[in-house]
């Protein structure tokens, strides 16, 4: 069994996954409520909360799996990208557990983790495929040729798609994180009521900073008519972001000659995106936002570092 640990942002997560990709336990403790009053994640607050939560979350995962640490054969942990102080809590915990039991450890890249959410039972996706990874921190189009790696075909030049949802939600007074709240509000709205153009770029890159500004101006222009239009604004704004993501994914599949499109990351939970790409493979809802099952899953595909070669591993904030 592989023990996965994830602490890159504001979710403290531990999971137990078999070498065949069966999830035995997947526990996520979100700190979103703690950060909501600041309108976003406060890194230092996140690190401290991870420290408080990491052992209880780990114990809960073992309980859920009906397992003990004796059954863990390998530890997989997110090394980056993310908030360094937050990552260090998971990484230090993983090192200590692995070292004390002389287990091998696999450092996992968080983005590989999101892709590996597709490789879990009961309905795993097999490479090759085009993967749209849309989360709060990243928007990437990936050509996944094999389990171990991918080529980046496109990325966002400014805001990530999830960040655009979160900033839009804030403008609409929906709180943080706002993707799911926009998704709900949009259901009762008219997506054609407002036109929010998303920049079209050459190639497969994205840009979401303009659409957020158009929403800001629309809200300003509405003045006290805003309340009556909130669901129309949410629906039109969501439509604009989803359109850009869908067009990008289809163009990437065509360019790379791939038949399969897969979608992962927090924004993959979006109901309009799921409906707009009916032929695509979406990560299961529980595995879209950050979790440790995907990290343990990624830990199946790279060579673990043997005891004690991992003790000097460091976390990294961004990919070079
Ligand atoms: O993958 P994730 O948990 O964190 C990162 O690695 O960044 O993604 C979180 C993001 C947030 O921006 C959140 O607003 C967005 O995913 N999100 C959604 C939905 N659920 C979560 N965005 C749109 N529609 C949703 N239903
Ligand atoms: Zn993530």
């Amino acid at each position: 069994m592989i023990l996965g640990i994830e602490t890159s942002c504001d979710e403290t997560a531990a999971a137990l996954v078999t070498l065949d990709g069966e999830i035995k336990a997947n526990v996520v403790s979100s700190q979103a409520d703690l950060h909501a009053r600041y309108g976003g994640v406060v890194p230092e607050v996140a690190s401290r909360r991870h420290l408080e939560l990491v052992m209880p979350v780990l114990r809960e995962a073992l309980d859920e799996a009906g397992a003990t640490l004796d059954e863990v054969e390998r530890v997989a942990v997110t090394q980056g990208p993310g908030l360094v102080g937050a990552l260090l809590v998971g990484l230090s915990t993983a090192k200590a557990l692995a070292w004390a039991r002389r287990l091998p450890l696999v450092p996992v890249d968080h983005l590989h983790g999101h892709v590996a959410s597709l490789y879990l039972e009961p309905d795993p996706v097999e490479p090759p495929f085009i993967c749209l990874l849309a989360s709060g921190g990243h928007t990437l189009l990936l050509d996944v040729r094999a389990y171990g790696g991918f080529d980046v075909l496109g990325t966002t030049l400014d805001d990530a798609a999830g960040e655009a949802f979160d900033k839009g939600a804030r403008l609409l007074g929906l709180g943080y994180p706002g993707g799911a709240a926009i998704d709900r509000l949009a259901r009762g709205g008219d997506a054609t009521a407002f036109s929010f153009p998303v920049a079209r770029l050459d190639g497969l890159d994205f840009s979401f900073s303009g659409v957020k500004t158009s929403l800001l101006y629309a809200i300003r222009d509405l003045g006290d008519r805003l309340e009556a239009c909130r669901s129309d604004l949410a629906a039109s704004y969501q439509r604009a972001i989803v359109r850009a993501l869908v067009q990008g994914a289809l163009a990437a599949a065509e360019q790379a000659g791939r038949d399969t499109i897969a979608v992962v990351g927090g924004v993959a939970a979006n109901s309009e995106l799921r409906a707009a790409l009916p032929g695509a493979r979406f990560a299961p809802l529980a595995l879209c936002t950050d979790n440790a099952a995907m990290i343990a899953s990624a830990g199946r595909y790279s060579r673990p570092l043997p005891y004690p070669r991992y003790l000097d591993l460091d976390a990294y904030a961004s990919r070079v």
Side-chain angles (χ1 to χ4, degrees), residues 110 114 135 290 294:
H110 185 79
H114 274 296
S135 71
D290 289 346
M294 69 186 198

Side-chain angles (χ1 to χ4, degrees), residues 214-235:
S214 340
L215 175 64
L216 174 70
Y217 290 154
I219 289 174
R220 274 195 194 156
D221 293 346
L222 280 167
D224 49 13
R225 286 176 295 140
L226 169 64
E227 208 39 49
C229 298
R230 271 166 27 106
S231 54
D232 290 348
L233 286 166

Side-chain angles (χ1 to χ4, degrees), residues 118-120 123-129 147 260-262 281-283 301:
L118 297 164
Y119 302 149
L120 289 159
D123 195 16
V125 181
E126 271 177 49
F129 55 87
Y147 287 101
T260 308
I261 294 176
R281 302 286 306 268
F282 281 80
Y301 301 101

Side-chain angles (χ1 to χ4, degrees), residues 2-6 13-17 23-27 57-58 61 291-294 296:
I2 306 179
L3 166 65
I5 298 178
E6 152 67 39
L16 290 151
V17 168
I23 302 176
K24 293 290 188 186
N26 184 27
V27 177
V57 164
L58 173 65
N291 64 86
M294 69 186 198

